[in-house]
Amino acid sequence: MGLFDKFQKKEEQKDNVPPADSTKLDLKINDVEACKIDYAKSVEELIAFYDEQKIKIAQGDKEYLNGEFMQLGFALDFIDFVQHVFHVTLDFEEGVVPAFESILDALSQAFQQKKLSEEMFNDVLKKATGFFSVVVWKNIGGGFISSNLGYGVNIKGTNAFVYNRIGRRLQGDTASDMISLYETLRKL
């Protein structure tokens, strides 16, 4: 598969007849959410912002109750996870992408060797998606995109379903590396 997940919509069906080609997917993409969070802040400032907004959300302020905020939470969780498991300190700067790819490679090997559970796989997948999305938004820009098949980023009208790409990478697909995806997104 290429750098971006490409799906075709099912053709209109008459009389509820199943499609002849069952490989086509019915992709439903939500509108792009423009980023509202200031990613020029340090990781520590973003943690403080996140904690402050969680309190406001609990009190009924829904300004940041959206997909982007959820991805920031996952990103911060990923940084904490990597610090505890790998003893590596990550930030959201562009230079972190090769280290991120190395971490995904190590996690992929652990999943392939069945050293980590499916539950752990799904948890890491969400957190890694958030992390990579924040790195993109901080250094390239763009917005948040969600679909019935996962989350991603939108750069100048192009949707990159990061969730699916990272999932394939964690399953051992080395062609789904994050360095080449990042470089492609930078060139848009």
Side-chain angles (χ1 to χ4, degrees):
M1 194 164 289
L3 288 175
F4 303 103
D5 294 320
K6 297 179 183 177
F7 299 102
Q8 298 176 347
K9 289 189 174 186
K10 290 183 180 178
E11 297 175 5
E12 291 291 320
Q13 301 298 310
K14 295 181 183 178
D15 302 320
N16 293 325
V17 176
D21 181 357
S22 62
T23 61
K24 293 183 181 181
L25 298 174
D26 188 15
L27 179 62
K28 293 179 177 76
I29 301 174
N30 295 328
D31 292 336
V32 176
E33 294 179 30
C35 289
K36 296 172 25 174
I37 298 171
D38 177 8
Y39 293 109
K41 297 178 180 181
S42 68
V43 171
E44 292 76 19
E45 290 170 317
L46 285 169
I47 291 169
F49 168 81
Y50 184 83
D51 291 343
E52 176 185 316
Q53 292 308 312
K54 276 190 349 187
I55 293 168
K56 288 182 177 181
I57 288 169
Q59 295 171 343
D61 182 346
K62 306 294 187 209
E63 180 181 2
Y64 287 98
L65 186 59
N66 60 21
E68 177 195 10
F69 185 73
M70 176 182 67
Q71 293 303 295
L72 174 60
F74 287 146
L76 296 172
D77 286 348
F78 187 77
I79 287 174
D80 188 54
F81 167 77
V82 168
Q83 178 63 45
H84 284 91
V85 173
F86 295 96
H87 308 289
V88 172
T89 302
L90 297 177
D91 58 25
F92 297 121
E93 299 301 325
E94 190 170 63
V96 78
V97 176
F100 177 63
E101 173 61 29
S102 295
I103 290 164
L104 290 181
D105 184 55
L107 289 167
S108 172
Q109 290 176 34
F111 288 123
Q112 297 305 307
Q113 296 169 5
K114 309 247 186 257
K115 292 181 179 179
L116 299 172
S117 68
E118 185 176 335
E119 182 180 335
M120 179 66 123
F121 177 90
N122 291 326
D123 188 53
V124 168
L125 177 56
K126 289 186 298 188
K127 291 174 182 179
T129 297
F131 178 78
F132 187 78
S133 296
V134 171
V135 170
V136 169
W137 295 326
K138 177 180 178 85
N139 298 289
I140 299 173
F144 171 78
I145 192 74
S146 65
S147 76
N148 58 325
L149 299 175
Y151 305 112
V153 296
N154 177 283
I155 309 294
K156 299 179 183 173
T158 300
N159 296 329
F161 292 100
V162 177
Y163 183 85
N164 299 5
R165 174 90 175 213
I166 292 174
R168 288 191 310 274
R169 180 65 188 94
L170 289 173
Q171 291 171 340
D173 179 3
T174 57
S176 292
D177 73 286
M178 302 312 292
I179 296 170
S180 64
L181 175 60
Y182 187 83
E183 289 303 317
T184 298
L185 294 174
R186 268 182 22 153
K187 293 175 185 174
L188 292 177

